[in-house]
Amino acid sequence: MAYLYGSAEAAALSEQTYNALTAYVRGVIERARDRRGRLPTERRAGTLPRWPQSAVLVPGATAASAETSPCSALPPAVVLDMDETAVLNLGYEYDEARTGAAYDVKRWDRWERTGADKVVAVPGAVAAFRQLRALGVTMVINSNRSADNAAAAAKALRTAGLGEFRHGDTLYLKGDVDGRSGKDGRRLEIAKHYCVLALVGDQLGDFADLFNPPGPAPALGRRALAGVGPIQARWGQGWFVLPNPVYGTGLGTGWDETFPQDKRWGDAPAEGAK
């Protein structure tokens, strides 16, 4: 917690990620300019020009294929997770650190409903949201906060300085679309209305549900999966990850997975040393 919420290093990583996101999206837009130099978000003859493929994987995609959905002439958007991606939950994490309490669903629900004024924007987010909106890009939040607390989620985003969000349009929550905690259903629904130029999150499930198959999390396999060719090529090229050493699927490895047997070293003093 001290690293994510208190260190300059974590702030720099977040700024770096949002800088890279903004530069990437700006580049996509500039490459899509027509010969007259018009931005693709400018309507001509009542239509929008075609964009490249979106950042959202098609249904049934695998790490080996990782095919993305087409965009056609939809308006551009960036889709982001909320917690520890757009906002930092300082109030909640303070209470957890102070009490040492384990995660509790009812406690988190109380936080969602009452903690909207105890969050701050992730470093770099406010500037990135402003710059991307100025380019004509819609910012869409896809969060596993409860749809029952949609108004409180929108308030938290507004309080953090990230602007206005409308439930069902620019704010999607757990309970929407298919009711699942996996986000693929919501991502595909968003992709019906927007060309999703980039995805941003702090957990791999913010990019594709294929990283979180049913059953116990295969921690070592997940690490290898992130480096499979078609997936590896997406990091920084439409998929942008923010640091979160506090909670989530990234903390699943044990001793043996973290330190392979053939890479272990033990200090042995030289013979005769005192």
Side-chain angles (χ1 to χ4, degrees):
M1 289 184 183
Y3 180 84
L4 183 59
Y5 303 117
S7 78
E9 285 79 2
L13 279 172
S14 297
E15 294 277 6
Q16 176 177 274
T17 301
Y18 272 110
N19 284 344
L21 166 70
T22 303
Y24 173 80
V25 173
R26 182 181 290 112
V28 171
I29 290 174
E30 289 178 349
R31 288 190 294 274
R33 290 177 186 269
D34 65 20
R35 293 180 181 177
R36 295 183 180 180
R38 292 181 178 178
L39 286 173
T41 49
E42 293 178 353
R43 293 188 178 275
R44 188 172 61 181
T47 63
L48 289 168
R50 291 182 177 274
W51 294 95
Q53 294 289 107
S54 81
V56 177
L57 298 186
V58 299
T62 67
S65 62
E67 181 183 351
T68 59
S69 58
C71 275
S72 185
L74 297 172
V78 168
V79 176
L80 310 93
D81 174 50
M82 179 171 173
D83 298 302
E84 276 56 62
T85 296
V87 302
L88 296 176
N89 293 297
L90 290 185
Y92 177 86
E93 299 301 343
Y94 163 76
D95 184 66
E96 191 164 272
R98 179 181 61 85
T99 63
Y103 175 78
D104 176 75
V105 173
K106 292 182 178 178
R107 180 164 164 264
W108 177 261
D109 182 68
R110 291 192 296 272
W111 160 251
E112 285 190 12
R113 289 187 283 106
T114 66
D117 62 338
K118 299 297 189 293
V119 302
V120 297
V122 168
V126 172
F129 278 46
R130 182 178 64 251
Q131 292 170 31
L132 291 171
R133 283 174 172 142
L135 291 173
V137 177
T138 298
M139 308 303 284
V140 180
I141 297 294
N142 184 8
S143 169
N144 268 344
R145 290 195 177 207
S146 172
D148 292 337
N149 298 327
K155 180 180 178 181
L157 291 161
R158 183 170 60 251
T159 300
L162 298 173
E164 299 293 331
F165 291 85
R166 297 183 304 279
H167 188 208
D169 178 16
T170 54
L171 176 62
Y172 285 78
L173 301 165
K174 185 177 179 181
D176 293 337
V177 183
D178 57 11
R180 299 178 180 178
S181 58
K183 295 183 175 181
D184 275 354
R186 280 171 267 157
R187 274 186 286 266
L188 290 170
E189 179 63 26
I190 295 166
K192 293 178 182 178
H193 307 283
Y194 297 98
C195 176
V196 180
L197 300 183
L199 297 170
V200 189
D202 64 307
Q203 312 283 333
L204 294 191
D206 295 327
F207 303 93
D209 288 352
L210 64 85
F211 292 111
N212 299 322
L220 195 60
R222 288 180 81 253
R223 183 175 175 87
L225 196 60
V228 173
I231 294 294
Q232 185 274 335
R234 298 200 175 279
W235 305 122
Q237 298 296 316
W239 289 6
F240 296 86
V241 186
L242 286 144
N244 184 358
V246 175
Y247 62 82
T249 53
L251 306 181
T253 61
W255 185 274
D256 290 338
E257 296 97 344
T258 305
F259 301 103
Q261 290 281 351
D262 64 342
K263 294 296 182 289
R264 296 180 183 179
W265 177 83
D267 187 22
E271 187 174 340
K274 294 182 179 180

